[in-house]
Amino acid sequence: MQLYNTLSAEERAELIDQAGKQRFTISFYQYAHIENPQQFRNDLFLAWNKLDALGRVYVAKEGINAQMSVPAENFETFRDTLEAYDFMKGIRINVAVEHDDHSFLKLTVKVRHKIVADGLNDETFDVTNKGVHLNAKAFNDILDDPNTIVVDFRNHYESEVGHFKGAITPDVETFRESLPIINEQLKDFKEEKNLVMYCTGGIRCEKASAYFKHQGFKNVYQLEGGIINYARQIKEEGIESKFIGKNFVFDHRLGERITDDIISQCHQCGKPCDNHTNCANDGCHLLFIQCDECAEKMEHCCSTECLETTHLSLEDQVRLRKGIQVGNKIFRKGKSEALKFKKSGELTGISLAKATDFEANVNELTTEKPKTLRQRIAVKKVMVGKGEHYYSKSQVGQFTITNHELKAGDTVLIQGPTTGEKQLIVEQLFVNGQEGTVAKEGDKITFSVPFKVRASDKLFKIVK
């Protein structure tokens, strides 16, 4: 009975690319009483492993919290594995606005004391006495009420790249820190003000709203399904977005764009930028915002010290790390004296630039009416190559064909953590420097691309 991963992240990524099948990035949670979390965990792992479902999942006696990647063709079967449990019948599954087939590359299901580290003693208040849930339209309406105070219950590195206009954005590194801070800051407004809260997917607000009602706040509201569900609703219903910027997410993408506004800066040079990355120094992995120019100049490092470290031999790097605690390195909170343009705490929400200023001619995927889940399942693609170079003056992208073949007239999808997903038709194809009609494995190709191509981009052919 296999209850663990047998493939590395690299091996899994290769298999996903070879399969060339659409995957959905999803999240869901549910508070419930689970008698045996370990058995529950094992049963889920066995069921999901058969479906090639990947992700990061926490289970506890109080419920389940999951962020996952699921093959589109297995989505309904996956839903059935949830609804096999009474407490998850009809569960809301948040489907990401932007998809990345590599958002998760392992299936990790862990038993924890709590599904969210909130630091609260649940025995001291009624955790089921939650705030009023609001959909996107109702949330927008209450934000227009001058009697409303809106609070972002995410951490500083999340709110820095995107938040609701006028929101209080606490300068905190963990959810548990924000609760007493907000309680003290708003203690004089418990009776008359609307306390409106939001987070990424809604789970933090489930507990926070009950806590603040227990603290004496009379009018407590929360954004149903969080920013992820809000983004889906405004696109599908044509509602104005009062959220500005990017929604930070805890997977390979590190963010999905809600509006074209860039409200943060490259932490190294100050240029408008909202792309998070982790420092390339394995002894650091600091989470920070870095533009393409600084990434090239600093070789994806957060400081000159880390840059110098990466140029040492592997043996010397390991020696320098010996005895240093780096267990929480992957999502270290992005605060360092080396980051001159880091902003957190009270944020202005002023747009510094538009994403479209950096990516000319927004592609069809970002402008067409959002597809339904069923329509997105119908889109099939197969990986055929990877990005090599971009000639900005002539707006030409260069790729290497790694699998299958590509023909002039094919519809392709260029996908990457910064590029997102962009679709176009290859009108004219150059193969190994000569105009051609077919490119095969090993060929270097170029064709017109109206946006920047990066080395991290993958080239897919859309299969009709």
Side-chain angles (χ1 to χ4, degrees), residues 345-375:
E346 295 184 8
L347 303 174
T348 62
I350 296 174
S351 181
L352 304 177
K354 295 288 186 180
T356 48
D357 294 341
F358 299 96
E359 306 290 352
N361 301 323
V362 177
N363 65 93
E364 294 176 5
L365 286 182
T366 58
T367 56
E368 66 181 6
K369 185 178 180 180
K371 295 182 175 65
T372 66
L373 194 59
R374 293 291 186 186
Q375 289 171 326

PDB file of all heavy atoms in Angstrom, residues 345-375:
ATOM      1  N   GLY A 345       2.959  46.784   5.562  1.00  0.00           N
ATOM      2  CA  GLY A 345       2.220  47.562   6.550  1.00  0.00           C
ATOM      3  C   GLY A 345       1.165  48.423   5.889  1.00  0.00           C
ATOM      4  O   GLY A 345       0.311  47.909   5.182  1.00  0.00           O
ATOM      5  N   GLU A 346       1.214  49.724   6.074  1.00  0.00           N
ATOM      6  CA  GLU A 346       0.227  50.628   5.482  1.00  0.00           C
ATOM      7  C   GLU A 346       0.560  50.845   4.010  1.00  0.00           C
ATOM      8  O   GLU A 346       1.508  51.537   3.669  1.00  0.00           O
ATOM      9  CB  GLU A 346       0.204  51.958   6.239  1.00  0.00           C
ATOM     10  CG  GLU A 346      -0.275  51.825   7.681  1.00  0.00           C
ATOM     11  CD  GLU A 346      -0.388  53.176   8.367  1.00  0.00           C
ATOM     12  OE1 GLU A 346      -0.241  54.203   7.675  1.00  0.00           O
ATOM     13  OE2 GLU A 346      -0.611  53.187   9.582  1.00  0.00           O
ATOM     14  N   LEU A 347      -0.241  50.241   3.141  1.00  0.00           N
ATOM     15  CA  LEU A 347       0.020  50.284   1.700  1.00  0.00           C
ATOM     16  C   LEU A 347      -0.959  51.215   1.005  1.00  0.00           C
ATOM     17  O   LEU A 347      -2.124  51.294   1.369  1.00  0.00           O
ATOM     18  CB  LEU A 347      -0.087  48.874   1.120  1.00  0.00           C
ATOM     19  CG  LEU A 347       0.843  47.834   1.761  1.00  0.00           C
ATOM     20  CD1 LEU A 347       0.535  46.448   1.215  1.00  0.00           C
ATOM     21  CD2 LEU A 347       2.298  48.186   1.518  1.00  0.00           C
ATOM     22  N   THR A 348      -0.474  51.924  -0.010  1.00  0.00           N
ATOM     23  CA  THR A 348      -1.289  52.946  -0.670  1.00  0.00           C
ATOM     24  C   THR A 348      -2.251  52.359  -1.696  1.00  0.00           C
ATOM     25  O   THR A 348      -3.298  52.940  -1.975  1.00  0.00           O
ATOM     26  CB  THR A 348      -0.387  53.964  -1.385  1.00  0.00           C
ATOM     27  OG1 THR A 348       0.377  53.290  -2.400  1.00  0.00           O
ATOM     28  CG2 THR A 348       0.568  54.622  -0.396  1.00  0.00           C
ATOM     29  N   GLY A 349      -1.892  51.229  -2.296  1.00  0.00           N
ATOM     30  CA  GLY A 349      -2.737  50.661  -3.343  1.00  0.00           C
ATOM     31  C   GLY A 349      -2.732  51.486  -4.615  1.00  0.00           C
ATOM     32  O   GLY A 349      -3.651  51.411  -5.428  1.00  0.00           O
ATOM     33  N   ILE A 350      -1.673  52.286  -4.812  1.00  0.00           N
ATOM     34  CA  ILE A 350      -1.565  53.110  -6.021  1.00  0.00           C
ATOM     35  C   ILE A 350      -0.908  52.299  -7.128  1.00  0.00           C
ATOM     36  O   ILE A 350       0.126  51.670  -6.927  1.00  0.00           O
ATOM     37  CB  ILE A 350      -0.739  54.381  -5.736  1.00  0.00           C
ATOM     38  CG1 ILE A 350      -1.465  55.261  -4.710  1.00  0.00           C
ATOM     39  CG2 ILE A 350      -0.468  55.155  -7.022  1.00  0.00           C
ATOM     40  CD1 ILE A 350      -0.660  56.466  -4.260  1.00  0.00           C
ATOM     41  N   SER A 351      -1.521  52.321  -8.316  1.00  0.00           N
ATOM     42  CA  SER A 351      -0.956  51.603  -9.453  1.00  0.00           C
ATOM     43  C   SER A 351       0.290  52.325  -9.951  1.00  0.00           C
ATOM     44  O   SER A 351       0.240  53.501 -10.308  1.00  0.00           O
ATOM     45  CB  SER A 351      -2.000  51.503 -10.573  1.00  0.00           C
ATOM     46  OG  SER A 351      -1.473  50.802 -11.673  1.00  0.00           O
ATOM     47  N   LEU A 352       1.409  51.619  -9.978  1.00  0.00           N
ATOM     48  CA  LEU A 352       2.668  52.199 -10.443  1.00  0.00           C
ATOM     49  C   LEU A 352       2.882  51.965 -11.931  1.00  0.00           C
ATOM     50  O   LEU A 352       3.632  52.691 -12.577  1.00  0.00           O
ATOM     51  CB  LEU A 352       3.839  51.585  -9.658  1.00  0.00           C
ATOM     52  CG  LEU A 352       3.765  51.709  -8.131  1.00  0.00           C
ATOM     53  CD1 LEU A 352       4.947  50.992  -7.492  1.00  0.00           C
ATOM     54  CD2 LEU A 352       3.744  53.175  -7.711  1.00  0.00           C
ATOM     55  N   ALA A 353       2.246  50.932 -12.448  1.00  0.00           N
ATOM     56  CA  ALA A 353       2.359  50.598 -13.876  1.00  0.00           C
ATOM     57  C   ALA A 353       1.277  49.586 -14.209  1.00  0.00           C
ATOM     58  O   ALA A 353       0.588  49.083 -13.330  1.00  0.00           O
ATOM     59  CB  ALA A 353       3.749  50.024 -14.178  1.00  0.00           C
ATOM     60  N   LYS A 354       1.129  49.317 -15.481  1.00  0.00           N
ATOM     61  CA  LYS A 354       0.187  48.310 -15.952  1.00  0.00           C
ATOM     62  C   LYS A 354       0.968  47.122 -16.500  1.00  0.00           C
ATOM     63  O   LYS A 354       1.976  47.292 -17.181  1.00  0.00           O
ATOM     64  CB  LYS A 354      -0.718  48.876 -17.056  1.00  0.00           C
ATOM     65  CG  LYS A 354      -1.634  50.001 -16.584  1.00  0.00           C
ATOM     66  CD  LYS A 354      -2.748  49.480 -15.692  1.00  0.00           C
ATOM     67  CE  LYS A 354      -3.735  50.594 -15.351  1.00  0.00           C
ATOM     68  NZ  LYS A 354      -4.830  50.111 -14.483  1.00  0.00           N
ATOM     69  N   ALA A 355       0.488  45.931 -16.205  1.00  0.00           N
ATOM     70  CA  ALA A 355       1.154  44.737 -16.703  1.00  0.00           C
ATOM     71  C   ALA A 355       1.203  44.738 -18.225  1.00  0.00           C
ATOM     72  O   ALA A 355       2.149  44.245 -18.836  1.00  0.00           O
ATOM     73  CB  ALA A 355       0.449  43.482 -16.204  1.00  0.00           C
ATOM     74  N   THR A 356       0.177  45.320 -18.854  1.00  0.00           N
ATOM     75  CA  THR A 356       0.130  45.373 -20.317  1.00  0.00           C
ATOM     76  C   THR A 356       1.213  46.276 -20.889  1.00  0.00           C
ATOM     77  O   THR A 356       1.543  46.176 -22.066  1.00  0.00           O
ATOM     78  CB  THR A 356      -1.245  45.862 -20.788  1.00  0.00           C
ATOM     79  OG1 THR A 356      -1.615  47.025 -20.050  1.00  0.00           O
ATOM     80  CG2 THR A 356      -2.295  44.797 -20.592  1.00  0.00           C
ATOM     81  N   ASP A 357       1.780  47.184 -20.060  1.00  0.00           N
ATOM     82  CA  ASP A 357       2.883  48.012 -20.532  1.00  0.00           C
ATOM     83  C   ASP A 357       4.126  47.166 -20.788  1.00  0.00           C
ATOM     84  O   ASP A 357       4.983  47.514 -21.592  1.00  0.00           O
ATOM     85  CB  ASP A 357       3.229  49.097 -19.503  1.00  0.00           C
ATOM     86  CG  ASP A 357       2.106  50.103 -19.350  1.00  0.00           C
ATOM     87  OD1 ASP A 357       1.266  50.174 -20.260  1.00  0.00           O
ATOM     88  OD2 ASP A 357       2.070  50.797 -18.312  1.00  0.00           O
ATOM     89  N   PHE A 358       4.229  46.052 -20.056  1.00  0.00           N
ATOM     90  CA  PHE A 358       5.392  45.174 -20.188  1.00  0.00           C
ATOM     91  C   PHE A 358       5.124  44.024 -21.148  1.00  0.00           C
ATOM     92  O   PHE A 358       6.041  43.432 -21.692  1.00  0.00           O
ATOM     93  CB  PHE A 358       5.783  44.606 -18.815  1.00  0.00           C
ATOM     94  CG  PHE A 358       6.172  45.659 -17.825  1.00  0.00           C
ATOM     95  CD1 PHE A 358       5.247  46.169 -16.914  1.00  0.00           C
ATOM     96  CD2 PHE A 358       7.463  46.151 -17.793  1.00  0.00           C
ATOM     97  CE1 PHE A 358       5.617  47.150 -16.004  1.00  0.00           C
ATOM     98  CE2 PHE A 358       7.833  47.132 -16.893  1.00  0.00           C
ATOM     99  CZ  PHE A 358       6.906  47.637 -15.991  1.00  0.00           C
ATOM    100  N   GLU A 359       3.864  43.683 -21.327  1.00  0.00           N
ATOM    101  CA  GLU A 359       3.504  42.584 -22.227  1.00  0.00           C
ATOM    102  C   GLU A 359       2.575  43.151 -23.306  1.00  0.00           C
ATOM    103  O   GLU A 359       1.374  43.272 -23.116  1.00  0.00           O
ATOM    104  CB  GLU A 359       2.778  41.477 -21.465  1.00  0.00           C
ATOM    105  CG  GLU A 359       3.552  40.964 -20.251  1.00  0.00           C
ATOM    106  CD  GLU A 359       4.788  40.183 -20.648  1.00  0.00           C
ATOM    107  OE1 GLU A 359       4.972  39.918 -21.843  1.00  0.00           O
ATOM    108  OE2 GLU A 359       5.571  39.850 -19.753  1.00  0.00           O
ATOM    109  N   ALA A 360       3.128  43.564 -24.428  1.00  0.00           N
ATOM    110  CA  ALA A 360       2.338  44.189 -25.492  1.00  0.00           C
ATOM    111  C   ALA A 360       1.343  43.208 -26.087  1.00  0.00           C
ATOM    112  O   ALA A 360       1.565  41.996 -26.120  1.00  0.00           O
ATOM    113  CB  ALA A 360       3.282  44.699 -26.591  1.00  0.00           C
ATOM    114  N   ASN A 361       0.236  43.787 -26.558  1.00  0.00           N
ATOM    115  CA  ASN A 361      -0.780  43.003 -27.265  1.00  0.00           C
ATOM    116  C   ASN A 361      -1.244  41.803 -26.446  1.00  0.00           C
ATOM    117  O   ASN A 361      -0.915  40.656 -26.736  1.00  0.00           O
ATOM    118  CB  ASN A 361      -0.244  42.510 -28.616  1.00  0.00           C
ATOM    119  CG  ASN A 361       0.173  43.646 -29.508  1.00  0.00           C
ATOM    120  OD1 ASN A 361      -0.466  44.694 -29.528  1.00  0.00           O
ATOM    121  ND2 ASN A 361       1.262  43.456 -30.230  1.00  0.00           N
ATOM    122  N   VAL A 362      -2.000  42.067 -25.416  1.00  0.00           N
ATOM    123  CA  VAL A 362      -2.501  40.996 -24.551  1.00  0.00           C
ATOM    124  C   VAL A 362      -3.176  39.936 -25.407  1.00  0.00           C
ATOM    125  O   VAL A 362      -3.983  40.241 -26.275  1.00  0.00           O
ATOM    126  CB  VAL A 362      -3.498  41.566 -23.524  1.00  0.00           C
ATOM    127  CG1 VAL A 362      -4.068  40.437 -22.666  1.00  0.00           C
ATOM    128  CG2 VAL A 362      -2.802  42.579 -22.630  1.00  0.00           C
ATOM    129  N   ASN A 363      -2.855  38.684 -25.144  1.00  0.00           N
ATOM    130  CA  ASN A 363      -3.301  37.591 -26.004  1.00  0.00           C
ATOM    131  C   ASN A 363      -4.759  37.239 -25.776  1.00  0.00           C
ATOM    132  O   ASN A 363      -5.408  37.720 -24.868  1.00  0.00           O
ATOM    133  CB  ASN A 363      -2.421  36.362 -25.773  1.00  0.00           C
ATOM    134  CG  ASN A 363      -2.608  35.839 -24.365  1.00  0.00           C
ATOM    135  OD1 ASN A 363      -3.428  34.963 -24.117  1.00  0.00           O
ATOM    136  ND2 ASN A 363      -1.872  36.392 -23.410  1.00  0.00           N
ATOM    137  N   GLU A 364      -5.239  36.347 -26.616  1.00  0.00           N
ATOM    138  CA  GLU A 364      -6.655  35.971 -26.600  1.00  0.00           C
ATOM    139  C   GLU A 364      -7.091  35.404 -25.264  1.00  0.00           C
ATOM    140  O   GLU A 364      -8.210  35.624 -24.814  1.00  0.00           O
ATOM    141  CB  GLU A 364      -6.907  34.925 -27.692  1.00  0.00           C
ATOM    142  CG  GLU A 364      -6.714  35.438 -29.087  1.00  0.00           C
ATOM    143  CD  GLU A 364      -6.891  34.337 -30.114  1.00  0.00           C
ATOM    144  OE1 GLU A 364      -7.259  33.225 -29.712  1.00  0.00           O
ATOM    145  OE2 GLU A 364      -6.667  34.601 -31.287  1.00  0.00           O
ATOM    146  N   LEU A 365      -6.212  34.677 -24.585  1.00  0.00           N
ATOM    147  CA  LEU A 365      -6.623  34.020 -23.345  1.00  0.00           C
ATOM    148  C   LEU A 365      -6.987  35.014 -22.255  1.00  0.00           C
ATOM    149  O   LEU A 365      -7.765  34.710 -21.366  1.00  0.00           O
ATOM    150  CB  LEU A 365      -5.507  33.103 -22.836  1.00  0.00           C
ATOM    151  CG  LEU A 365      -5.294  31.800 -23.610  1.00  0.00           C
ATOM    152  CD1 LEU A 365      -4.201  30.988 -22.951  1.00  0.00           C
ATOM    153  CD2 LEU A 365      -6.580  30.987 -23.673  1.00  0.00           C
ATOM    154  N   THR A 366      -6.405  36.209 -22.294  1.00  0.00           N
ATOM    155  CA  THR A 366      -6.680  37.173 -21.243  1.00  0.00           C
ATOM    156  C   THR A 366      -7.792  38.136 -21.605  1.00  0.00           C
ATOM    157  O   THR A 366      -8.214  38.928 -20.771  1.00  0.00           O
ATOM    158  CB  THR A 366      -5.411  37.991 -20.914  1.00  0.00           C
ATOM    159  OG1 THR A 366      -4.970  38.644 -22.105  1.00  0.00           O
ATOM    160  CG2 THR A 366      -4.304  37.101 -20.396  1.00  0.00           C
ATOM    161  N   THR A 367      -8.259  38.104 -22.862  1.00  0.00           N
ATOM    162  CA  THR A 367      -9.275  39.070 -23.251  1.00  0.00           C
ATOM    163  C   THR A 367     -10.615  38.422 -23.574  1.00  0.00           C
ATOM    164  O   THR A 367     -11.636  39.077 -23.524  1.00  0.00           O
ATOM    165  CB  THR A 367      -8.812  39.861 -24.491  1.00  0.00           C
ATOM    166  OG1 THR A 367      -8.503  38.940 -25.550  1.00  0.00           O
ATOM    167  CG2 THR A 367      -7.560  40.670 -24.183  1.00  0.00           C
ATOM    168  N   GLU A 368     -10.610  37.127 -23.916  1.00  0.00           N
ATOM    169  CA  GLU A 368     -11.876  36.507 -24.265  1.00  0.00           C
ATOM    170  C   GLU A 368     -12.724  36.255 -23.023  1.00  0.00           C
ATOM    171  O   GLU A 368     -12.227  36.259 -21.906  1.00  0.00           O
ATOM    172  CB  GLU A 368     -11.620  35.192 -25.007  1.00  0.00           C
ATOM    173  CG  GLU A 368     -10.959  34.141 -24.144  1.00  0.00           C
ATOM    174  CD  GLU A 368     -10.710  32.859 -24.915  1.00  0.00           C
ATOM    175  OE1 GLU A 368     -10.947  32.836 -26.125  1.00  0.00           O
ATOM    176  OE2 GLU A 368     -10.284  31.894 -24.284  1.00  0.00           O
ATOM    177  N   LYS A 369     -14.004  36.040 -23.218  1.00  0.00           N
ATOM    178  CA  LYS A 369     -14.904  35.733 -22.109  1.00  0.00           C
ATOM    179  C   LYS A 369     -14.443  34.459 -21.420  1.00  0.00           C
ATOM    180  O   LYS A 369     -14.128  33.473 -22.083  1.00  0.00           O
ATOM    181  CB  LYS A 369     -16.333  35.544 -22.639  1.00  0.00           C
ATOM    182  CG  LYS A 369     -17.354  35.330 -21.530  1.00  0.00           C
ATOM    183  CD  LYS A 369     -18.752  35.203 -22.092  1.00  0.00           C
ATOM    184  CE  LYS A 369     -19.762  34.980 -20.977  1.00  0.00           C
ATOM    185  NZ  LYS A 369     -21.140  34.853 -21.509  1.00  0.00           N
ATOM    186  N   PRO A 370     -14.336  34.449 -20.098  1.00  0.00           N
ATOM    187  CA  PRO A 370     -13.833  33.276 -19.393  1.00  0.00           C
ATOM    188  C   PRO A 370     -14.622  32.019 -19.765  1.00  0.00           C
ATOM    189  O   PRO A 370     -15.849  32.034 -19.845  1.00  0.00           O
ATOM    190  CB  PRO A 370     -14.038  33.644 -17.911  1.00  0.00           C
ATOM    191  CG  PRO A 370     -14.069  35.133 -17.887  1.00  0.00           C
ATOM    192  CD  PRO A 370     -14.691  35.542 -19.181  1.00  0.00           C
ATOM    193  N   LYS A 371     -13.881  30.928 -19.996  1.00  0.00           N
ATOM    194  CA  LYS A 371     -14.519  29.668 -20.338  1.00  0.00           C
ATOM    195  C   LYS A 371     -15.095  29.010 -19.093  1.00  0.00           C
ATOM    196  O   LYS A 371     -14.609  29.215 -17.989  1.00  0.00           O
ATOM    197  CB  LYS A 371     -13.496  28.730 -20.980  1.00  0.00           C
ATOM    198  CG  LYS A 371     -12.949  29.204 -22.328  1.00  0.00           C
ATOM    199  CD  LYS A 371     -11.984  28.181 -22.877  1.00  0.00           C
ATOM    200  CE  LYS A 371     -11.496  28.544 -24.270  1.00  0.00           C
ATOM    201  NZ  LYS A 371     -10.700  29.750 -24.295  1.00  0.00           N
ATOM    202  N   THR A 372     -16.127  28.214 -19.298  1.00  0.00           N
ATOM    203  CA  THR A 372     -16.651  27.414 -18.205  1.00  0.00           C
ATOM    204  C   THR A 372     -15.672  26.288 -17.930  1.00  0.00           C
ATOM    205  O   THR A 372     -14.765  25.993 -18.735  1.00  0.00           O
ATOM    206  CB  THR A 372     -18.013  26.815 -18.564  1.00  0.00           C
ATOM    207  OG1 THR A 372     -17.822  25.878 -19.633  1.00  0.00           O
ATOM    208  CG2 THR A 372     -18.996  27.886 -18.992  1.00  0.00           C
ATOM    209  N   LEU A 373     -15.841  25.623 -16.791  1.00  0.00           N
ATOM    210  CA  LEU A 373     -14.966  24.518 -16.430  1.00  0.00           C
ATOM    211  C   LEU A 373     -14.996  23.438 -17.499  1.00  0.00           C
ATOM    212  O   LEU A 373     -13.962  22.900 -17.896  1.00  0.00           O
ATOM    213  CB  LEU A 373     -15.421  23.945 -15.078  1.00  0.00           C
ATOM    214  CG  LEU A 373     -14.444  23.017 -14.367  1.00  0.00           C
ATOM    215  CD1 LEU A 373     -13.145  23.716 -14.091  1.00  0.00           C
ATOM    216  CD2 LEU A 373     -15.069  22.527 -13.071  1.00  0.00           C
ATOM    217  N   ARG A 374     -16.186  23.132 -18.009  1.00  0.00           N
ATOM    218  CA  ARG A 374     -16.314  22.108 -19.032  1.00  0.00           C
ATOM    219  C   ARG A 374     -15.574  22.495 -20.320  1.00  0.00           C
ATOM    220  O   ARG A 374     -14.941  21.676 -20.970  1.00  0.00           O
ATOM    221  CB  ARG A 374     -17.794  21.883 -19.361  1.00  0.00           C
ATOM    222  CG  ARG A 374     -18.587  21.268 -18.229  1.00  0.00           C
ATOM    223  CD  ARG A 374     -18.186  19.839 -17.991  1.00  0.00           C
ATOM    224  NE  ARG A 374     -19.038  19.199 -16.994  1.00  0.00           N
ATOM    225  CZ  ARG A 374     -18.821  17.992 -16.528  1.00  0.00           C
ATOM    226  NH1 ARG A 374     -17.779  17.297 -16.943  1.00  0.00           N
ATOM    227  NH2 ARG A 374     -19.626  17.463 -15.626  1.00  0.00           N
ATOM    228  N   GLN A 375     -15.642  23.795 -20.670  1.00  0.00           N
ATOM    229  CA  GLN A 375     -14.961  24.261 -21.875  1.00  0.00           C
ATOM    230  C   GLN A 375     -13.451  24.170 -21.723  1.00  0.00           C
ATOM    231  O   GLN A 375     -12.737  23.834 -22.661  1.00  0.00           O
ATOM    232  CB  GLN A 375     -15.378  25.699 -22.198  1.00  0.00           C
ATOM    233  CG  GLN A 375     -16.807  25.818 -22.709  1.00  0.00           C
ATOM    234  CD  GLN A 375     -17.248  27.259 -22.811  1.00  0.00           C
ATOM    235  OE1 GLN A 375     -16.860  28.104 -22.013  1.00  0.00           O
ATOM    236  NE2 GLN A 375     -18.076  27.549 -23.805  1.00  0.00           N
TER     237      GLN A 375
END
